[in-house]
Amino acid sequence: MIEIIAISGSLRAASTNSALVTALAANAPAGCRVQVYDGLGRLPIFNPDDEGERTPPEAAALIETITRANGVVVSCPEYAHGVPGGMKNALDWLVSRDAAVGKPAMLVHASPRSLYARAALAEVMRTMSFAMYEEGTLEIALLGKKPAEVEAILSEDANREAMRGAVRDFLEFIRGR
Ligand SMILES: Cc1cc2nc3c(=O)[nH]c(=O)nc-3n(C[C@H](O)[C@H](O)[C@H](O)COP(=O)(O)O)c2cc1C
């Protein structure tokens, strides 16, 4: 069983990115389990002085979660042409560890915009030595939609198949490494 961790870069209760990763988990293809990481908002702000023995428990749990996972999927909004601080903060806790090194990762998108954040996030994650599955191109346009609309869009057969297909392709990438 391949274990995938899905992270939303938004803390908003009605987040479209969180809805997308939740739907990915619900529509996971056979042979894998997709678990949503929900600890982003509880992570202290990264401080290199707090690494090693001083690592806060929330950060240690994130590091352990990523270490154990076979792959990571991230869906992240764009704030002011950048990666939201909460998402970057989570990644910062992983920089000087082995957790990210060679770890397969794929970006998925809940907005057809956010091109700056996509590029920045991919660059950061590549720099951290995540093994980026660059061919992964799942994009479901949920930007500006209300929760009921988001749910309806994510329930459409074509979108469920697109989500399953994207994760299936990612599984092949993971298995091929
Ligand atoms: C503070 C802030 C800054 C934003 N800046 C951008 C931006 O630069 N480019 C963009 O495409 N969208 C921007 N947006 C819109 C969000 O990326 C968009 O609403 C996204 O769908 C929010 O994701 P969520 O539904 O998961 O919270 C911004 C939103 C906020 C709250």
Side-chain angles (χ1 to χ4, degrees):
M1 183 63 82
I2 291 185
E3 303 281 349
I4 293 176
I5 293 298
I7 304 176
S8 164
S10 172
L11 298 180
R12 218 160 58 82
S15 162
T16 54
N17 288 280
S18 299
L20 179 55
V21 295
T22 300
L24 277 180
N27 290 285
C32 84
R33 184 166 51 199
V34 178
Q35 241 183 314
V36 176
Y37 170 74
D38 68 353
L40 210 68
R42 294 190 297 275
L43 285 169
I45 294 182
F46 175 67
N47 179 346
D49 289 344
D50 291 340
E51 294 202 278
E53 285 181 3
R54 294 175 47 136
T55 302
E58 299 88 347
L62 169 68
I63 293 160
E64 175 72 10
T65 297
I66 300 298
T67 300
R68 282 171 181 269
N70 300 108
V72 178
V73 174
V74 176
S75 184
C76 188
E78 174 171 295
Y79 287 171
H81 288 185
V83 178
M87 183 70 229
K88 182 62 165 63
N89 183 50
L91 291 172
D92 286 346
W93 280 111
L94 301 169
V95 169
S96 55
R97 314 291 179 133
D98 294 333
V101 177
K103 186 71 61 182
M106 172 172 75
L107 303 184
V108 297
H109 309 287
S111 163
R113 301 192 324 217
S114 70
L115 301 182
Y116 293 96
R118 289 184 195 197
L121 191 53
E123 175 64 15
V124 168
M125 292 179 73
R126 266 194 305 269
T127 301
M128 293 171 67
S129 301
F130 275 99
M132 299 304 291
Y133 177 50
E134 309 274 0
E135 289 80 7
T137 54
L138 180 69
E139 176 184 301
I140 300 182
L142 302 173
L143 176 71
K145 306 280 186 209
K146 299 208 162 56
E149 288 176 281
V150 167
E151 204 185 315
I153 292 168
L154 291 172
S155 302
E156 288 170 14
D157 285 345
N159 286 331
R160 287 160 63 117
E161 190 42 50
M163 289 186 273
R164 256 193 302 271
V167 176
R168 229 182 267 126
D169 291 346
F170 186 44
L171 293 184
E172 285 309 304
F173 174 75
I174 294 171
R175 288 195 185 103
R177 288 184 46 80

